[in-house]
Amino acid sequence: MKKLGVFIFLFAIILSCKEGKKQTYLPDSIGGINTIAVVVDNQLWQGKVGDKIREYFAASAVGLTLDEPIFTINHVPPAVFTGTIRNMRAVLFVEKDTLNIGHVKTDLYASPQKIGVIKGHTEDEIIANLDAKAQEIIAAFKALEITEAQKRFKGSLSKETVLKDKFGVSLTMPAAFKVVKQEDNFVWMETQIPKGTMNVIAYELPESSFSNDSTFVADIVRLRDSIGSVYIPGPDVPGKITHMRGDPAFAPHVFATELGAKKAVEVRGIWDIKNFPMAGPFVSYIINDKENGRKLVLEGFTFAPSANKRDYMFELEAIIRSAKFD
């Protein structure tokens, strides 16, 4: 009887382990970068709830030359939200329900996955929860998409070490990026895309740069103009000086952020070429690197006339946000 009891005990442990594995297994999530499934019934989607969803999740992305939404939305009626569709990486689930809640769930049907859940007794309660939780859900989706983009880069990584050698920073960057200019305090890397180029530049500034908050934006504009005039010339135009600058018609958008565990400022805006019809979006990160007594600037910009640029700029952001410092 004693041996039988031990056997039953061991069998129970083995069975519970197997059941535990079954419970924790999740399929890989699917979906294009910056694409979300919005699960909501047709009546809500076509009314004021749908308008509120689109107000937040199809809002125009900041700092682009063309009007593009922050996410590509696929509307999915609840009855269709079955099978592999549940494995979408980013899902917004909106429902009229006995509950009145708004929150984010992780890895419910697949991994990695974020599901924003918005419920309410009435349409007005649903809208109130969207107002309260939309930005939190958007931030969760964006962080997930950044991680997914960085994971995809790892299939073919650049072996260039110039950024590490010169500035002590490493980026997770696709192998297609090549160094096109390297000087004492400036590195420019570029890759070809179907209708233009994607670019990453890096340079250092004194630690005391941008010490005056009241002139911060104006100082950023002057900095970009001076860097462009020295390092990023434009096409030859007889009798005229051409170089990259911040487009004077558009004030940059400035946000506080962190990069590589360091405080930073994110700047988004439009660049153009002085005295020549070329322009595009840029995202610049001014990193407060106190340990090395400097400010380090990492910037991405795209030239792709007449093409959508949201996903190109998102890829550049994902590259720069992978920064790791020695």
Side-chain angles (χ1 to χ4, degrees):
M1 289 296 293
K2 185 176 181 181
K3 289 182 178 180
L4 179 61
V6 172
F7 175 79
I8 292 172
F9 177 72
L10 291 174
F11 180 78
I13 292 175
I14 293 169
L15 184 62
S16 65
C17 288
K18 288 183 177 179
E19 288 177 349
K21 288 181 180 178
K22 287 181 180 178
Q23 291 170 354
T24 57
Y25 169 75
L26 290 170
D28 293 335
S29 56
I30 60 174
I33 295 292
N34 291 324
T35 298
I36 67 173
V38 176
V39 183
V40 61
D41 71 42
N42 290 330
Q43 184 176 356
L44 291 176
W45 180 246
Q46 293 165 6
K48 61 183 182 180
V49 169
D51 291 341
K52 181 61 69 171
I53 292 170
R54 289 183 287 273
E55 176 185 328
Y56 286 114
F57 294 88
S60 294
V62 172
L64 299 181
T65 51
L66 302 174
D67 190 21
E68 299 180 58
I70 56 173
F71 297 116
T72 298
I73 292 177
N74 291 329
H75 172 226
V76 181
V80 182
F81 189 57
T82 60
T84 57
I85 296 179
R86 287 190 173 193
N87 298 343
M88 288 289 292
R89 193 170 50 257
V91 179
L92 177 66
F93 190 91
V94 180
E95 183 182 37
K96 190 180 288 187
D97 192 80
T98 55
L99 297 174
N100 180 25
I101 58 172
H103 57 208
V104 179
K105 291 191 173 184
T106 299
D107 296 350
L108 191 58
Y109 302 109
S111 180
Q113 185 182 56
K114 293 291 182 182
I115 299 182
V117 179
I118 299 291
K119 296 184 179 183
H121 302 90
T122 65
E123 292 189 9
D124 287 340
E125 283 188 352
I126 291 172
I127 288 172
N129 286 329
L130 281 166
D131 286 333
K133 292 293 183 177
Q135 295 304 329
E136 177 186 339
I137 296 170
I138 288 169
F141 286 170
K142 182 174 179 180
L144 181 65
E145 296 303 276
I146 289 284
T147 301
E148 177 65 20
Q150 291 170 346
K151 183 174 72 175
R152 295 183 184 188
F153 298 157
K154 292 179 180 178
S156 179
L157 284 176
S158 171
K159 296 181 180 179
E160 295 281 2
T161 63
V162 60
L163 292 175
K164 186 173 183 178
D165 296 341
K166 191 174 289 291
F167 300 120
V169 62
S170 300
L171 300 180
T172 301
M173 180 178 290
F177 279 83
K178 305 298 181 185
V179 177
V180 295
K181 179 175 283 190
Q182 179 181 174
E183 301 198 17
D184 288 344
N185 185 33
F186 184 81
V187 172
W188 180 0
M189 300 182 72
E190 178 186 87
T191 186
Q192 299 294 314
I193 55 178
K195 295 185 178 181
T197 62
M198 292 167 57
N199 307 263
V200 172
I201 60 174
Y203 53 93
E204 289 179 329
L205 297 170
E207 188 176 10
S208 59
S209 302
F210 307 111
S211 57
N212 190 336
D213 291 343
S214 64
T215 62
F216 186 78
V217 174
D219 290 344
I220 288 173
V221 173
R222 284 192 291 269
L223 170 68
R224 297 200 78 263
D225 291 353
S226 64
I227 291 295
S229 65
V230 174
Y231 297 114
I232 311 177
D236 290 332
V237 177
K240 294 185 178 180
I241 297 174
T242 65
H243 62 79
M244 177 181 279
R245 62 178 182 175
D247 190 328
F250 298 92
H253 301 266
V254 180
F255 312 92
T257 188
E258 285 192 0
L259 213 69
K262 299 178 186 292
K263 290 184 178 181
V265 172
E266 177 183 302
V267 183
R268 290 182 180 270
I270 307 299
W271 62 267
D272 73 352
I273 298 295
K274 184 176 181 179
N275 294 319
F276 195 82
M278 285 178 66
F282 74 87
V283 57
S284 183
Y285 293 89
I286 304 169
I287 304 159
N288 191 17
D289 186 9
K290 288 185 177 181
E291 291 79 1
N292 293 298
R294 65 178 181 176
K295 284 186 169 65
L296 179 67
V297 180
L298 299 174
E299 179 176 311
F301 65 92
T302 297
F303 175 62
S306 302
N308 289 333
K309 302 171 184 64
R310 179 196 69 186
D311 290 346
Y312 293 140
M313 293 306 299
F314 190 81
E315 182 173 334
L316 290 170
E317 178 183 355
I319 289 170
I320 296 172
R321 284 194 174 277
S322 71
K324 291 182 173 60
F325 292 85
D326 289 349

